[in-house]
Amino acid sequence: MKDSRQSVILQIISSQEIETQAQLIQALAEHGISSTQATLSRDIKQLHLVKELGSSGKYHYVVSDKSRNNDRDMRLRKIFRESVTSYAVAQNIIVIKTLPGLASAACSTLDSMHIETLAGTLAGDDTAFLAMKDNEAAEQFCHEIDEML
């Protein structure tokens, strides 16, 4: 129940500019979900929702950047733990070896994360090449890989 309600909350705030908890309770009701203000407050806290100034000049609920970063980190850690077998750095290039067929998934995930220091990726079947903007960025990302593995 809680997970489905929270999923609907995320759908609502992504499609509408919801300014108040009362508006959110009403929108949930329109989706056939009844909620109290106390329950909604807990959901807002658990989902890391914050109010942001919208294009209309009014504040509305959005998922916080902190939560987005946490999601990114969790996805990356899961993919790397489950698929990466080894890696090596050569100046600004990182070569990652994965289980067969998973290099493309690793690169796709990295590409979707908009990592500022990542210039691009290239995937084969079990090998991924990451072109970092400079040698320092490659070394730093390797430290992150160490922590993930």
Side-chain angles (χ1 to χ4, degrees):
M1 179 86 168
K2 175 177 126 180
D3 289 338
S4 63
R5 182 182 62 250
Q6 288 184 351
S7 177
V8 171
I9 289 170
L10 293 173
Q11 289 173 1
I12 291 169
I13 67 166
S14 69
S15 64
Q16 302 175 46
E17 287 195 359
I18 301 292
E19 299 173 36
T20 66
Q21 288 185 10
Q23 287 178 331
L24 190 49
I25 288 173
Q26 178 62 37
L28 283 169
E30 291 170 5
H31 284 84
I33 299 172
S34 134
S35 180
T36 65
Q37 189 275 328
T39 299
L40 187 59
S41 289
R42 282 189 296 275
D43 288 339
I44 288 169
K45 183 176 180 179
Q46 290 172 355
L47 292 169
H48 303 284
L49 302 184
V50 295
K51 285 192 174 182
E52 183 178 90
L53 187 61
S55 57
S56 65
K58 297 179 181 178
Y59 285 89
H60 62 98
Y61 284 106
V62 296
V63 178
S64 77
D65 287 337
K66 180 180 176 183
S67 178
R68 290 180 192 135
N69 289 339
N70 287 341
D71 289 346
R72 177 193 87 131
D73 291 345
M74 288 182 354
R75 284 190 305 162
L76 186 60
R77 287 178 197 282
K78 182 177 181 182
I79 286 173
F80 272 69
R81 275 195 310 268
E82 294 178 0
S83 66
V84 172
T85 59
S86 66
Y87 68 93
V89 64
Q91 295 184 7
N92 71 317
I93 304 292
I94 300 172
V95 179
I96 297 176
K97 298 296 279 181
T98 68
L99 296 172
L102 295 177
S104 180
C107 285
S108 178
T109 300
L110 288 167
D111 289 338
S112 72
M113 293 179 176
H114 309 291
I115 300 169
E116 290 182 28
T117 57
L118 179 63
T121 63
L122 179 65
D125 182 57
D126 63 354
T127 305
F129 289 90
L130 312 180
M132 305 304 287
K133 288 194 175 180
D134 55 40
N135 296 357
E136 184 180 330
E139 290 292 335
Q140 178 61 36
F141 195 73
C142 282
H143 291 296
E144 290 182 38
I145 293 172
D146 277 338
E147 291 175 10
M148 287 183 259
L149 299 177

